[in-house]
Amino acid sequence: MGVLPVVNTYPLSSYTFGTKEPKMEKDTSVADRLARMKVNYMKEGMRTSVEAILLVQEHNHPHILLLQIGNTFCKLPGGRLKPGENEIEGLKRKLSSKLAANSPSHQPNWQVGECVAVWWRPNFETVMYPYCPPHITKPKECKKLFLVHLSEREYFAVPKNLKLLAVPLFELYDNVQRYGPVISTIPQQLSRFQFNMVNA
Amino acid sequence: MGVLPVVNTYPLSSYTFGTKEPKMEKDTSVADRLARMKVNYMKEGMRTSVEAILLVQEHNHPHILLLQIGNTFCKLPGGRLKPGENEIEGLKRKLSSKLAANSPSHQPNWQVGECVAVWWRPNFETVMYPYCPPHITKPKECKKLFLVHLSEREYFAVPKNLKLLAVPLFELYDNVQRYGPVISTIPQQLSRFQFNMVNA
């Protein structure tokens, strides 16, 4: 129990990045998003979403890959599962949709690993918590974050309307203003891993 | 990989609490503490400390046991390892020293489980980070937090100068002002566990 799990991280420069057709957001405002969530909840029940923490290294420090929309908003790659969909398979589907070339023969080897955090949305509002609050019997969304182990070399195709950023842990830490409560506490959730920085 | 680890939590009322002789803090100020840390570092190298997250439940919500010193400062039970000491054995020793009756025949069954977070102190200062910052080759302290699984019934003996509090996750969350950066992000680190609230 005293040994920390090891995660291999490879230099950002071992990965190749291209572009593909834009992936537009389904909603143009937060209000639209919450309204669509409500409609879907009535049809399908609690929304389940899955997101990936993809790690690379630069200067011997771990960095996380984030998708930037416009000039400020950043998110983890991932998305909503279909009703009844397996979460591992669903996350691979979402990762391929967001970050893989369209050719089925050039899919990255998505190795979905440890679940590192679970967040709950009690109401049709933006706020989420890392627990289901007491007295909430029907949460509206459960979001799981998984560590996805990258191979030493991969090709990523980034939708033209998005930017893929490699953000160091020290930039995320204690930076809720810029990255929000979910992404800004990823450094704490990863602290139990031992990073093996492979200098390929 | 999709299945979350289960943690059984028992009602606070299944545990019994008594008192024992005071355990005084070794230092009376933060400056004293950092000075002692420096002296020890010269003799023994990096300080390694271990702390325990002990969980109970009330009203179907997980609570963490914290030791309160004076009227405001709260800490997790645990402490510094002796040079070369095994971290699991060291944590059990510290837990017995802080929370067990003096009788060796009445020791709680400390089941040290998952490491949930690791914090680093780069300098002889109060600030710690959930990663070793880049360019820091000689960190001064490494602190590991472990989940310690409690049995259904236990007797705790609390030093007379301390109070043992059961604090709900929702009180810790996003409350860095009151609990500091380490304790206030425990809810995020525990979010990947599924709590099985046993109503004994």
Side-chain angles (χ1 to χ4, degrees):
Chain A
M1 280 299 190
V3 178
L4 304 180
V6 174
V7 178
N8 289 329
T9 53
Y10 302 97
L12 181 58
S13 58
S14 28
Y15 300 104
T16 317
F17 300 90
T19 57
K20 63 177 180 179
E21 78 289 355
K23 290 263 169 196
M24 301 317 286
E25 291 288 292
K26 288 199 179 119
D27 311 296
T28 53
S29 73
V30 171
D32 283 0
R33 183 152 176 272
L34 296 171
R36 190 167 58 88
M37 206 176 268
K38 203 162 183 170
V39 170
N40 285 336
Y41 181 85
M42 300 308 168
K43 285 191 294 190
E44 301 166 359
M46 185 181 76
R47 174 191 180 104
T48 308
S49 53
V50 287
E51 294 183 346
I53 297 175
L54 302 172
L55 286 158
V56 299
Q57 61 115 330
E58 274 205 300
H59 313 298
N60 270 317
H61 188 72
H63 288 55
I64 288 176
L65 298 184
L66 294 178
L67 287 166
Q68 191 181 23
I69 307 159
N71 282 319
T72 53
F73 185 70
C74 282
K75 62 178 192 177
L76 293 166
R80 181 162 71 105
L81 296 182
K82 295 174 185 170
E85 187 177 24
N86 172 281
E87 55 195 18
I88 308 295
E89 293 312 309
L91 181 54
K92 289 181 182 180
R93 176 177 65 78
K94 282 289 177 183
L95 284 173
S96 288
S97 146
K98 300 278 170 84
L99 288 174
N102 292 331
S103 149
S105 62
H106 285 84
Q107 296 298 303
N109 174 22
W110 307 117
Q111 299 169 65
V112 179
E114 297 83 350
C115 176
V116 296
V118 180
W119 289 80
W120 298 88
R121 187 188 306 276
N123 303 113
F124 297 113
E125 292 168 7
T126 53
V127 63
M128 298 186 85
Y129 298 95
Y131 45 81
C132 191
H135 312 301
I136 296 291
T137 52
K138 294 187 173 172
K140 303 307 181 283
E141 179 174 354
C142 176
K143 187 205 307 239
K144 290 187 184 171
L145 274 59
F146 289 91
L147 201 55
V148 174
H149 300 266
L150 291 176
S151 302
E152 189 168 345
R153 296 190 185 277
E154 296 290 3
Y155 172 78
F156 297 108
V158 182
K160 274 186 176 154
N161 60 320
L162 302 175
K163 264 186 288 193
L164 190 66
L165 307 178
V167 183
L169 292 187
F170 65 77
E171 159 76 12
L172 299 176
Y173 176 63
D174 203 21
N175 200 345
V176 66
Q177 294 80 358
R178 171 83 177 82
Y179 296 101
V182 174
I183 293 175
S184 66
T185 52
I186 288 175
Q188 286 93 317
Q189 281 138 15
L190 296 184
S191 71
R192 67 185 174 97
F193 294 94
Q194 194 183 321
F195 294 106
N196 178 29
M197 312 274 182
V198 183
N199 281 297
Chain B
M1 280 299 187
V3 179
L4 304 180
V6 174
V7 179
N8 289 329
T9 54
Y10 301 96
L12 180 59
S13 58
S14 29
Y15 300 105
T16 317
F17 301 90
T19 58
K20 62 176 180 178
E21 78 288 354
K23 290 266 168 196
M24 301 316 285
E25 291 288 291
K26 287 197 179 120
D27 311 296
T28 54
S29 72
V30 171
D32 283 1
R33 182 152 176 271
L34 295 171
R36 190 167 57 89
M37 206 177 268
K38 203 162 183 171
V39 170
N40 284 336
Y41 181 84
M42 300 309 169
K43 288 190 292 189
E44 302 166 357
M46 185 181 78
R47 175 193 180 104
T48 309
S49 53
V50 287
E51 294 183 347
I53 297 174
L54 302 172
L55 286 158
V56 299
Q57 62 113 330
E58 273 205 301
H59 312 298
N60 269 317
H61 187 73
H63 289 53
I64 289 175
L65 298 184
L66 295 178
L67 287 165
Q68 190 180 24
I69 306 159
N71 282 319
T72 52
F73 184 70
C74 282
K75 63 178 192 177
L76 294 166
R80 181 161 71 102
L81 295 183
K82 296 174 183 168
E85 187 178 24
N86 172 280
E87 56 195 15
I88 307 295
E89 293 312 309
L91 181 53
K92 289 181 181 179
R93 176 178 63 79
K94 281 289 177 183
L95 284 173
S96 288
S97 145
K98 300 279 170 85
L99 288 175
N102 292 330
S103 152
S105 62
H106 286 85
Q107 296 298 303
N109 173 23
W110 306 118
Q111 300 170 64
V112 179
E114 297 83 351
C115 176
V116 296
V118 181
W119 289 80
W120 298 88
R121 188 188 306 275
N123 304 113
F124 298 113
E125 292 168 6
T126 53
V127 64
M128 298 186 85
Y129 299 95
Y131 45 80
C132 190
H135 313 300
I136 296 291
T137 53
K138 295 186 172 172
K140 303 306 180 283
E141 179 175 352
C142 176
K143 187 204 309 236
K144 290 187 185 171
L145 274 59
F146 289 91
L147 201 54
V148 173
H149 300 265
L150 291 177
S151 302
E152 188 167 346
R153 298 193 183 275
E154 297 289 4
Y155 172 78
F156 298 109
V158 182
K160 275 188 176 155
N161 60 319
L162 302 175
K163 263 185 288 191
L164 191 65
L165 307 177
V167 183
L169 293 187
F170 65 77
E171 159 76 11
L172 299 176
Y173 176 63
D174 203 21
N175 200 346
V176 66
Q177 294 83 356
R178 173 83 177 84
Y179 295 101
V182 174
I183 293 176
S184 66
T185 52
I186 288 175
Q188 286 92 320
Q189 282 140 13
L190 295 185
S191 70
R192 67 186 174 96
F193 294 95
Q194 195 184 321
F195 295 104
N196 178 29
M197 313 274 182
V198 182
N199 281 298

